[in-house]
Amino acid sequence: MSIWEYANPKKFMATTAPAVPWLFALGIGAIVVALVWGFFFTPADYRQGATVKIIYLHVPSAMLAINAWLMMLVASLIWLVRRHHVSALAAKAAAPVGITMTLIALMTGAIWGQPMWGTWWVWDPRLTSFLILFLFYLGYVALWSAIEDPDTAADLTSILCIVGSVFAVLSRYAVNFWTQGLHQGASLSLDAKENVADVFYQPLLLAIAGFILLFLALVLLRTRTEIRWRRVRALDLRARRD
Amino acid sequence: MAGLKNLRKRRRVQIIVAAFVALALATGLIGYAMKDGINFFRSPSEVVAAPPPEGEVFRIGGLVEPGSLVRGEGTQIRFSVTDGGASVPVTYDGILPDLFGEGEGVVAQGRLVNGTVQAFEILAKHDETYMPREVIDALKEQGVYVAPDAGDGGS
């Protein structure tokens, strides 16, 4: 038994088929509970007032926007090294989900920034690298659809993904490299002492879990669609040859 | 045949590793070279040590020094920005963001005139602390409230 067995499209389809509905149900359920909990049953922050509640959308979506790109990076590397088609298709399938997450993070950040910072947007290192990541997402999707041959498209988008990972990593760690920026540092971390009071922390964790589950569900569903597309195209080619 | 396939795979891994090393090096060098350009603001210590020429628009960031905030007519205010080391006076006339206050992080954009920053934009810098209002009020009532280290504005 090896993990690479799941790179077989048949095995992949059989394994993920029962998982997708569960992931959708759990993910949407967790998000609904977390948002209702966060929006209506948590107190106001001592300095931000009710504006703090945007954290339940901003933090999970920004985390996933960055981690989706890193997932695409891993999938692209597996494609480049081992040439598993499922891996390339999973990277392709994740990109539009990542774009959506990036857009949610950008918009909620602007809505929070206007009353708190006093501006919708600043050219702070973290914000700038996140915007560049968004442009990389758009370029990635455009490159997939610009190239006819799927293998060539997978190769070139994988290279684009490697280059773009610079900005995924930077938007996570820019606050550590260039300390003189406007965006605050990480609110959640595994090693440092907790900066977020438990009343905000618990619904936030649930929201993050929900976003992750929903992300997995969407990516699996889209990957399954891509695999089926690939099969349809192969059958179509064979039918024309005969 | 299998040997050739393995060799190809090994070559691909080597190329990818080399690409990552080159990418990391390039990013590191660019980031290091453009450190000042990428940093969003200057600290008061930097402004005192190397005052920008008159007329240059720049941003200064730090904490609003407690006790330095003076409100004038209308929306005029003056205060000092400090990073613990140095302190630079700032004047401003306009609407302030919600988070602005003494001891809070601030980023002011403007020009240096006679050692005072005449700002035309004030942004508040929020730190990563989130606490419910009731908890802070209760702590203040008991007199045990200690303001959280207000951001890394000066570091």
Side-chain angles (χ1 to χ4, degrees), chain A residues 106-119:
Chain A
L106 282 172
M107 288 194 300
T108 51
I111 293 168
W112 182 88
Q114 168 58 23
M116 290 299 124
W117 288 342
T119 178

Side-chain angles (χ1 to χ4, degrees), chain A residues 57-58 61-62 97-111 130 211:
Chain A
L57 285 172
H58 183 72
S61 59
V97 188
I99 290 182
T100 316
M101 293 296 172
T102 318
L103 264 181
I104 295 175
L106 282 172
M107 288 194 300
T108 51
I111 293 168
F130 198 73
F211 266 75

